[in-house]
């Protein structure tokens, strides 16, 4: 963080655009007035709030999200408000988006020893994209209060007692069963999504928490989540070919989105690897809510243990299944964001991985949640006995920072963004230190820009070549 102004004077522009929305639309037909009220009110609130109370991240998330929405709505109502007002609203929406990106950038903390992100317009645009996504996430997330908070406190205390009784904090592996190939033989059918042909693997998840574990019954009630699912892209001759386990991020798990994140034609077609793309719990077809990923990070806090434990179990089942297909196959893992967390967690239990590549990895889930909570609500939770430290104290058995990586240092790789707004750069930096300062690549970009960064793809390619995954 290089600079924290007393007021963000550029927020006056956002405030002015909001006023123009209300002033112009309320003299137009009734439906235009309704359409214009939404961006107008939000822009006035975020603009004035950021001017008077600079640095509030929640305001900036909503500002970044409202900017492009405002520009889009300007295209809809342009005919009824006149061309001059239309131009002002369209330009104002774009300006709002970039102002939010600028404000997020100038207050962005970067750990010592890491080159701070630039202030180029391209970087501001990337940061604003992260902010807009966070605005969407924040509005979709469940925020516990009242009885839900009391339940969280009680269940986390029960998790702590259970961990102390069974020695999970000293021996995290004691919580996790020996890996096996799913609950029963998987069903496989052929499918095609976004032009990519693959095998759709479905099998009962091998994760079976004891009924006495906190929240076990509630977790089991997520019926769709009981099935482990994965997309498999492999050649007819699998013997001797390496396998890459591709672990998606939060709110993903849909084929069209995952295939954009993982370059299947390159990884499979040109580099010759078989790919297995498991669906994380509560994502994609395993979801428990309308949106993919719902209840994974925003459910009862005690369920964070179930979520990570089941993800680990399913990934280890995938590896066991691959070993069953080809006992001598080299197996590596590449994960992004939440997938980076699970790639790192998997490396604590699977020493024979050819490589572990953690991309823009989340490594401290409670810290991430608290970073994006409204300040008043974070204070409320801490007053009720919930804090980052208290939650982390109960999650040692499913935290990649609480146990040693069993993959040799030369096969560990991390890449991360210096201007990441979703995950603080301190988190991948902490994993790098925990992994004995292994191979590390920083890029001048954001969380969402990862697939378009010029120095990320060569870093991944080098990792795969150096570890024998690709020629």
């Amino acid at each position: 963080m290089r600079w924290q102004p007393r007021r963000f004077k550029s927020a006056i522009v956002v405030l002015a655009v909001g006023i123009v929305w209300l002033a112009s639309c309320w003299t137009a037909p009734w439906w235009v007035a309704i359409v214009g009220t939404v961006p107008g009110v939000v822009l006035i609130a975020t603009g004035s709030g950021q001017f008077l109370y600079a640095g509030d991240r929640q305001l900036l998330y909503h500002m970044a999200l409202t900017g492009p929405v405002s520009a889009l709505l300007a295209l809809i109502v342009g005919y009824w408000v006149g061309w001059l007002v239309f131009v002002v609203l369209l330009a104002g929406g774009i300006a709002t988006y970039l102002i939010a990106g600028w404000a997020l950038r100038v207050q962005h903390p970067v750990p010592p020893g890491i080159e701070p992100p630039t202030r180029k317009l391209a970087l501001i645009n990337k940061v604003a994209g992260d902010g807009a996504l966070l605005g969407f996430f924040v509005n979709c997330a469940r925020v516990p209060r009242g009885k839900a908070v009391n339940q969280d406190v009680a269940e986390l205390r029960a998790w702590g007692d259970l961990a102390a009784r069974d020695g999970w904090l000293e021996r995290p592996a004691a919580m996790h069963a020996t890996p096996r190939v799913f609950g029963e033989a998987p069903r496989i059918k052929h499918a095609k999504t976004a032009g990519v042909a693959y095998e759709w693997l479905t099998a009962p998840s091998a994760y079976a928490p004891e009924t006495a574990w906190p929240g076990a019954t509630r977790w089991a009630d997520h019926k769709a989540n009981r099935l482990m699912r994965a997309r498999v892209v492999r050649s007819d001759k699998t013997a001797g070919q390496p396998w890459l386990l591709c672990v998606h991020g939060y709110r993903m798990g849909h084929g069209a989105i995952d295939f954009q994140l993982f370059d299947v034609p390159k990884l499979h077609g040109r580099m010759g690897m078989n790919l297995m793309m498991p669906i994380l719990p509560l994502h994609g077809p395993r979801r428990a809510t309308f949106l993919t990923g719902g209840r994974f990070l925003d459910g009862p806090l005690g369920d964070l243990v179930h979520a990570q434990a089941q993800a680990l179990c399913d990934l280890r089942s995938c590896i066991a299944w691959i070993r069953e297909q080809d006992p001598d196959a080299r197996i590596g893992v590449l994960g992004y964001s939440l997938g980076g967390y699970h790639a790192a967690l998997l490396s604590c239990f699977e020493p024979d991985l050819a490589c572990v590549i953690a991309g823009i990895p989340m490594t401290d889930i409670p810290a991430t949640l608290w970073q994006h909570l409204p300040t008043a609500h974070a204070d409320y939770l801490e007053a009720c006995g919930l804090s980052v430290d208290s939650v982390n104290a109960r999650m040692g058995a499913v935290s990649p920072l609480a146990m040693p990586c069993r993959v040799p240092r030369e096969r560990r790789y991390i890449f991360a963004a210096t201007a990441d707004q979703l995950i603080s750069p301190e988190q991948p930096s902490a994993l790098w230190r925990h992994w004995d300062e292994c191979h590390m690549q920083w890029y001048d970009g954001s969380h969402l820009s990862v697939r378009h960064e010029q120095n990320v793809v060569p870093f991944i390619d080098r990792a795969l070549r150096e570890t024998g995954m690709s020629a």
Side-chain angles (χ1 to χ4, degrees), residues 163-179:
R165 186 195 72 189
D166 293 347
W168 292 352
L169 299 183
E170 296 78 18
R171 296 175 296 104
M175 176 187 176
H176 307 283
T178 303

Side-chain angles (χ1 to χ4, degrees), residues 271 330 354-355 409-413 439 458-471:
M271 302 183 78
R330 299 178 68 83
C355 66
R409 178 181 178 275
E410 63 272 14
R411 303 206 299 259
R412 309 170 189 169
Y413 298 82
H439 306 285
F459 179 78
I460 297 174
D461 292 348
R462 178 168 67 87
L464 295 172
R465 285 195 306 270
E466 290 178 346
T467 55
M469 292 289 293
S470 173

Side-chain angles (χ1 to χ4, degrees), residues 152-437:
D152 285 343
V153 172
E155 288 190 354
L156 285 171
R157 185 179 294 116
W159 275 117
D161 294 342
L162 189 60
R165 186 195 72 189
D166 293 347
W168 292 352
L169 299 183
E170 296 78 18
R171 296 175 296 104
M175 176 187 176
H176 307 283
T178 303
R180 57 196 179 100
V181 184
F182 310 118
E184 60 184 48
R187 300 192 309 273
I188 298 177
K189 66 177 183 179
H190 293 278
K192 190 173 185 178
T193 301
V196 178
Y198 59 92
E199 296 174 86
W200 188 233
L201 182 150
T202 305
S205 172
Y207 180 65
E210 297 182 14
T211 55
W213 288 7
T217 301
R218 180 180 61 244
W219 188 258
D221 286 340
H222 299 312
K223 295 182 180 179
N225 190 51
R226 299 174 191 171
L227 287 179
M228 191 278 163
R229 301 170 185 267
R231 296 180 178 88
V232 178
V233 182
R234 56 177 168 172
S235 62
D236 295 334
K237 298 179 180 180
T238 59
Q241 284 188 293
W243 284 77
L244 184 64
L245 209 60
C246 303
V247 192
H248 65 76
Y250 181 53
R251 297 286 188 187
M252 299 183 67
H254 293 300
I257 301 175
D258 294 354
F259 291 148
Q260 289 184 353
L261 181 63
F262 298 98
D263 191 343
V264 175
K266 177 181 179 179
L267 295 173
H268 175 65
R270 298 197 294 275
M271 302 183 78
M273 289 175 286
N274 295 317
L275 309 179
M276 190 165 193
M277 306 173 70
I279 309 298
L280 290 175
L282 301 183
H283 283 76
R286 306 178 68 178
R287 66 186 183 275
T289 61
F290 176 74
L291 291 176
T292 177
R295 297 294 184 267
F296 193 102
L297 295 180
D298 64 341
L301 289 176
D303 282 3
L304 286 173
V305 182
H306 288 293
Q308 317 314 324
Q310 183 168 18
L312 174 64
C313 176
D314 291 345
L315 292 176
R316 299 185 78 189
S317 289
C318 288
I319 290 177
W321 181 80
I322 293 172
R323 294 283 185 220
E324 194 177 70
Q325 311 303 303
D326 186 356
D328 299 322
R330 299 178 68 83
I331 304 174
V333 58
L334 166 62
Y336 288 82
S337 190
L338 182 61
Y341 181 102
H342 290 102
L345 181 61
L346 184 64
S347 72
C348 300
F349 296 87
E350 296 289 341
D352 295 329
L353 288 173
C355 66
V356 53
I357 308 172
I360 47 175
M362 181 188 303
T363 61
D364 188 333
I365 290 177
T368 302
L369 297 179
W370 258 253
Q371 176 185 342
H372 302 305
L373 275 174
T375 303
H377 198 83
D379 292 342
Y380 166 71
L381 291 180
E382 293 188 5
C384 294
L386 293 176
S387 65
V388 172
D389 290 341
S390 68
V391 178
N392 266 326
R394 275 79 174 178
M395 292 186 61
V398 290
S399 170
L401 296 181
M403 59 191 94
C405 177
R406 298 181 63 195
V407 176
R409 178 181 178 275
E410 63 272 14
R411 303 206 299 259
R412 309 170 189 169
Y413 298 82
I414 305 170
F415 59 90
T418 57
D420 195 328
Q421 301 301 303
L422 278 76
I423 297 169
S424 167
E426 174 55 35
Q427 294 198 32
S429 184
L431 183 65
W432 175 71
R433 294 191 298 270
H434 185 65
W435 277 6
D436 303 318
E437 301 185 0

